[in-house]
Amino acid sequence: MILSDRRKRVTIKDVAQAAGVSTQTVSRVMNKFSYVSGETRQRVEDVVEQLGYRPSTLARSLSQQRSYTLGVVTFGLKYIGPARTLNGVADKADELGYMLLMKELDNFNTNRIDDVIDSLLARQVDGIVWVAPEIGDNHTWVEERMNKIPVPVLFLAMQPRNGISSVATDNYQGAVLAIQHLLDCGRKNIGHISGPLSWWEADERKRGWKETLSAAGFDVCEKRCAEGNWSSSSGEQAFIQLLDSFPEMDAVFVANDQMALSVLRESHRRGINVPEELAVIGFDNIPESAYFHPSLTTISQDLQLLGEQAVQNIVEMIQARQENRPIPAQSIFIQPTLVIRESSMRI
Amino acid sequence: MILSDRRKRVTIKDVAQAAGVSTQTVSRVMNKFSYVSGETRQRVEDVVEQLGYRPSTLARSLSQQRSYTLGVVTFGLKYIGPARTLNGVADKADELGYMLLMKELDNFNTNRIDDVIDSLLARQVDGIVWVAPEIGDNHTWVEERMNKIPVPVLFLAMQPRNGISSVATDNYQGAVLAIQHLLDCGRKNIGHISGPLSWWEADERKRGWKETLSAAGFDVCEKRCAEGNWSSSSGEQAFIQLLDSFPEMDAVFVANDQMALSVLRESHRRGINVPEELAVIGFDNIPESAYFHPSLTTISQDLQLLGEQAVQNIVEMIQARQENRPIPAQSIFIQPTLVIRESSMRI
DNA sequence: CGATAACATGTTATCGATAACATAATAGCA
DNA sequence: TGCTATTATGTTATCGATAACATGTTATCG
């Protein structure tokens, strides 16, 4: 039963009156864990059922100074990555009894960031999860403002920083996996199409490419690398450029699957055989990538898990603070995995 | 400035005291539109700035019985469709000064639905936007419960119903566009791979296929149609089945781009030339579809706009209710458009 | 059997704001 | 110049719950 009468909200007073007890007793019945006689409890519960009483979480939040709500700041929801992460966040929050108060960022104007945080705090969120990528120095404000924010904050996909909690995919390791796989396949000339290098994640992937190749004794000059902006069309541009600057290339590590898709397409158009002449490996493992032609070898990152982990962590932080225990900040890395398909192959 | 002291929230009382006025005067300064002398206003504003005072939206919501928050119920966020819709919802909500309280559904247990609604109402949302598809009879509860919900509710992607507000893509018209295009291309034997027919949207698309072909004098028996579940792998199965039951097929309308992708792939594998021997048209226009091989002709639906429209509407409903005006429920259809690429071609 | 603990319930203050009402000072006008 | 309208501000009640404290009633035990 939702509300017996749409006119007016049924309050704790109504229940108290109808059951002939004090509001406090009703509160006790609703929240368990306190002395109420079986008889009284039954009577109150009957009235609750009958009137369709639902406590106002709002009022409770005010009086308890705690809302069981997490603030979530997102960016780029229209892309599948952030959306999947948010999905994980939502699932775990639900499981742990929290609701989400969402705010989407459209850009990284710093004033706006303060406003967003303020608007969440004004609604008494118990913690804030930051589901927005680190781009350029857009996270520098973090350092100065963090200690002024009176609730725990957890960042996703942020470069680990001292004293700040974060959860991120280990992009560097993912790239290492990718390059090692290509080397295992016998490739000697491995190029890279990166994401926008102002993104921390893109930079990490590139670093993995570079360092793994160096360590294996290969040359890694800038000619062997081109920069895209994650979109398929930018991937096409980057690939064309790379074909020109690095013609002996026999494998390419592409920083995401969307861009890898256009590499497959352009290769086909030019009569370059994948994987015989050119091995291609992507990053993300979007559901479509198994159906590309040829199917795409890629690095799978579990964004759902990332989101879940984030919520798990921040809820622990919240509880710790509640109980006045020290809250050690920690940075967690989640390991991606290699998914081998047709686009890479031993030669 | 966010909070000058993390210990304790700065309240309206602190400001009042520091400025030597009553809390009411502070409230007046914060909310404009009332008599306050310039001098007092200035003094209060200075104190506000100095203490970093931010009014508690929570407290305000309680006393005003209005939260400037919309409840959003989502389903399948990990898929790009719902995510893009949510993006539109978030943008528009932000623009109109609303926050979003989010709840994700994991299934359609009816009890759970009541709980979700209750938990949103308990937080005083001003309205509810339902971003979950209509599947089977999972929306029948709507009719019985709608009038018990004390705030406006707006449904996305729901079959229009009397007295209930909704916003949806015109899936039927989209299918009509697709089939007409194929007919214009000179195709005579047009098959269909549908989504799960328990989904209203899938059913509408199929209806468009069927009725348009009938109207054009073609036969549309069930052999010319197969059912998938939106995923690429199900699309592959359906396509294989269709090749068998409808071998003379020279064009296929696929209910979403993911499934169309696997049709392209399987065609290539079997040496069926697209578009020469088989024209393929999808639905959704996901960003990757322009980079499929061959690039995919598809029906583009603007989910972002869908979400924006939804918020626009519900906010109007909220305001109308506030001012005690009648609230005529309306069902809005958004028209999809045809995007012609390589996979369809005149013969 | 009296003291103490456990149980059961009520009263009052509080969370942080706004609404409604009250009051005082100034201004404009007949 | 006295009266009403406007401006400026304060006081009290209220939103819907819980926290803290108070009080009365049963068990329990030495």
Side-chain angles (χ1 to χ4, degrees):
Chain A
M1 151 166 291
I2 290 175
L3 267 189
S4 57
D5 183 356
R6 65 145 62 204
R7 254 196 291 269
K8 209 151 174 49
R9 171 175 272 277
V10 177
T11 75
I12 198 171
K13 276 188 198 160
D14 302 327
V15 176
Q17 191 157 42
V21 297
S22 72
T23 61
Q24 192 56 227
T25 299
V26 177
S27 175
R28 287 187 185 110
V29 171
M30 298 305 288
N31 297 296
K32 324 284 184 214
F33 304 120
S34 197
Y35 305 126
V36 180
S37 71
E39 189 200 6
T40 307
R41 155 157 287 130
Q42 189 57 55
R43 187 150 37 95
V44 171
E45 280 172 349
D46 287 350
V47 173
V48 165
E49 174 64 25
Q50 196 191 331
L51 299 184
Y53 168 64
R54 303 284 160 173
S56 161
T57 309
L58 202 68
R60 174 188 287 149
S61 300
L62 183 61
S63 90
Q64 290 193 148
Q65 297 289 313
R66 180 163 188 194
S67 64
Y68 289 93
T69 300
L70 298 177
V72 180
V73 181
T74 62
F75 180 78
L77 248 196
K78 64 183 158 193
Y79 300 109
I80 192 67
R84 278 164 68 189
T85 311
L86 180 60
N87 189 226
V89 169
D91 282 357
K92 198 64 171 187
D94 199 61
E95 183 188 324
L96 300 180
Y98 281 79
M99 293 205 83
L100 299 183
L101 200 49
M102 225 188 77
K103 202 80 188 174
E104 169 140 43
L105 246 41
D106 44 0
N107 61 53
F108 279 107
N109 180 301
T110 305
N111 278 336
R112 174 116 175 87
I113 289 181
D114 282 351
D115 285 350
V116 165
I117 293 181
D118 280 339
S119 70
L120 291 174
L121 292 177
R123 283 171 160 93
Q124 287 283 354
V125 295
D126 296 338
I128 297 177
V129 181
W130 203 262
V131 192
E134 177 166 359
I135 305 175
D137 57 357
N138 79 359
H139 276 39
T140 51
W141 55 267
V142 167
E143 323 262 12
E144 29 173 322
R145 281 184 190 69
M146 270 299 286
N147 56 355
K148 294 201 175 168
I149 300 181
V151 300
V153 184
L154 191 146
F155 292 84
L156 282 168
M158 184 181 79
Q159 178 168 14
R161 284 174 171 77
N162 245 332
I164 294 177
S165 293
S166 62
V167 180
T169 295
D170 192 340
N171 290 287
Y172 176 79
Q173 265 308 315
V176 170
L177 283 179
I179 304 304
Q180 270 170 352
H181 171 63
L182 292 175
L183 290 171
D184 287 350
C185 289
R187 308 293 169 160
K188 307 285 184 203
N189 297 294
I190 304 176
H192 177 46
I193 294 176
S194 72
L197 292 169
S198 52
W199 288 51
W200 172 68
E201 294 166 276
D203 199 55
E204 284 287 289
R205 291 175 198 179
K206 180 173 178 181
R207 189 167 69 85
W209 164 73
K210 188 182 245 166
E211 295 187 3
T212 309
L213 283 183
S214 288
F218 289 94
D219 181 36
V220 275
C221 64
E222 282 300 315
K223 280 185 193 155
R224 302 182 167 204
C225 174
E227 181 174 346
N229 70 4
W230 304 124
S231 75
S232 294
S233 76
S234 77
E236 185 174 301
Q237 296 309 312
F239 182 50
I240 291 171
Q241 176 189 330
L242 205 54
L243 285 173
D244 189 52
S245 64
F246 187 21
E248 62 274 38
M249 177 167 70
D250 62 3
V252 58
F253 165 47
V254 190
N256 78 346
D257 289 357
Q258 266 90 8
M259 295 193 293
L261 170 60
S262 56
V263 168
L264 296 179
R265 179 183 158 86
E266 187 64 17
S267 295
H268 183 273
R269 183 180 286 162
R270 295 183 177 226
I272 301 171
N273 261 320
V274 176
E276 293 79 358
E277 297 170 63
L278 181 74
V280 179
I281 184 166
F283 204 114
D284 282 351
N285 194 24
I286 62 175
E288 291 83 15
S289 61
Y291 292 86
F292 288 171
H293 175 72
S295 60
L296 183 68
T297 293
T298 190
I299 301 297
S300 174
Q301 62 168 330
D302 193 340
L303 294 174
Q304 179 99 14
L305 177 63
L306 197 77
E308 289 175 14
Q309 186 69 248
V311 171
Q312 184 79 53
N313 273 38
I314 199 166
V315 168
E316 277 164 22
M317 291 165 71
I318 290 168
Q319 278 161 358
R321 184 167 297 204
Q322 205 76 12
E323 297 160 19
N324 229 341
R325 286 185 276 124
I327 331 111
Q330 55 177 334
S331 300
I332 294 183
F333 267 131
I334 292 183
Q335 294 306 318
T337 56
L338 173 67
V339 177
I340 301 176
R341 300 209 184 93
E342 296 165 359
S343 71
S344 67
M345 186 174 276
R346 183 173 298 278
I347 49 175
Chain B
M1 147 166 297
I2 289 174
L3 265 188
S4 57
D5 182 355
R6 65 147 62 203
R7 255 196 291 272
K8 208 148 173 50
R9 171 177 272 277
V10 177
T11 74
I12 199 170
K13 275 187 198 159
D14 303 326
V15 176
Q17 191 157 42
V21 297
S22 72
T23 61
Q24 190 57 226
T25 299
V26 177
S27 175
R28 287 187 184 113
V29 171
M30 299 305 288
N31 297 296
K32 323 283 183 211
F33 305 122
S34 196
Y35 305 126
V36 180
S37 71
E39 188 199 6
T40 307
R41 155 158 285 129
Q42 188 58 51
R43 186 150 38 94
V44 171
E45 279 172 351
D46 288 351
V47 173
V48 164
E49 174 64 26
Q50 196 191 331
L51 300 183
Y53 167 65
R54 302 284 159 173
S56 160
T57 309
L58 202 68
R60 174 186 284 148
S61 299
L62 184 61
S63 91
Q64 291 193 146
Q65 297 290 308
R66 178 162 191 196
S67 64
Y68 289 94
T69 300
L70 298 177
V72 180
V73 181
T74 62
F75 179 76
L77 248 194
K78 64 183 159 193
Y79 301 108
I80 192 65
R84 278 164 67 189
T85 310
L86 180 59
N87 188 225
V89 169
D91 283 357
K92 198 64 173 188
D94 199 61
E95 182 188 323
L96 300 181
Y98 280 80
M99 293 205 82
L100 300 183
L101 201 51
M102 225 188 74
K103 202 82 189 173
E104 169 140 45
L105 247 40
D106 46 358
N107 61 52
F108 280 107
N109 180 301
T110 306
N111 279 336
R112 174 119 175 85
I113 290 181
D114 282 351
D115 285 350
V116 165
I117 294 181
D118 280 339
S119 70
L120 291 174
L121 293 178
R123 283 170 161 93
Q124 288 282 357
V125 296
D126 296 339
I128 296 177
V129 181
W130 202 264
V131 192
E134 176 165 1
I135 305 175
D137 57 357
N138 77 359
H139 276 40
T140 50
W141 54 266
V142 167
E143 324 262 11
E144 28 174 322
R145 281 184 189 69
M146 269 299 285
N147 55 354
K148 295 201 175 166
I149 301 181
V151 300
V153 184
L154 192 145
F155 293 84
L156 282 168
M158 184 180 80
Q159 178 170 14
R161 283 175 171 77
N162 244 331
I164 294 175
S165 293
S166 62
V167 179
T169 296
D170 193 338
N171 290 287
Y172 175 80
Q173 265 308 317
V176 169
L177 283 179
I179 303 306
Q180 269 170 353
H181 169 64
L182 293 175
L183 290 172
D184 287 349
C185 291
R187 308 292 169 161
K188 307 284 183 204
N189 297 293
I190 304 176
H192 177 46
I193 294 177
S194 73
L197 291 171
S198 53
W199 289 50
W200 172 68
E201 295 165 275
D203 199 56
E204 283 287 288
R205 291 174 198 179
K206 180 171 178 181
R207 189 167 67 87
W209 163 74
K210 188 182 243 165
E211 294 188 3
T212 310
L213 283 183
S214 288
F218 290 93
D219 182 34
V220 275
C221 63
E222 280 302 315
K223 281 185 194 156
R224 304 184 167 201
C225 173
E227 181 174 346
N229 70 3
W230 302 125
S231 75
S232 294
S233 76
S234 76
E236 186 174 302
Q237 296 309 311
F239 182 51
I240 292 170
Q241 176 189 331
L242 206 52
L243 284 173
D244 189 53
S245 66
F246 186 22
E248 62 275 38
M249 177 167 69
D250 62 3
V252 58
F253 165 48
V254 191
N256 77 346
D257 288 357
Q258 266 90 7
M259 295 194 292
L261 169 60
S262 57
V263 167
L264 295 180
R265 178 183 159 86
E266 187 63 20
S267 295
H268 183 273
R269 181 181 285 160
R270 298 186 174 222
I272 301 172
N273 262 319
V274 175
E276 293 79 359
E277 296 170 62
L278 181 74
V280 179
I281 183 165
F283 204 111
D284 280 352
N285 193 25
I286 61 176
E288 292 82 14
S289 61
Y291 292 86
F292 289 170
H293 175 74
S295 61
L296 183 69
T297 295
T298 190
I299 302 297
S300 173
Q301 61 169 329
D302 193 340
L303 294 174
Q304 179 97 16
L305 177 63
L306 197 75
E308 289 175 15
Q309 186 68 248
V311 172
Q312 184 79 53
N313 273 37
I314 199 166
V315 168
E316 276 164 22
M317 289 164 74
I318 291 168
Q319 277 161 359
R321 185 168 298 204
Q322 205 75 12
E323 296 160 20
N324 231 339
R325 284 185 277 125
I327 330 113
Q330 53 178 335
S331 300
I332 293 183
F333 267 131
I334 292 184
Q335 293 306 319
T337 56
L338 174 66
V339 177
I340 301 177
R341 300 209 185 92
E342 295 165 1
S343 71
S344 69
M345 185 175 276
R346 184 172 297 276
I347 49 176

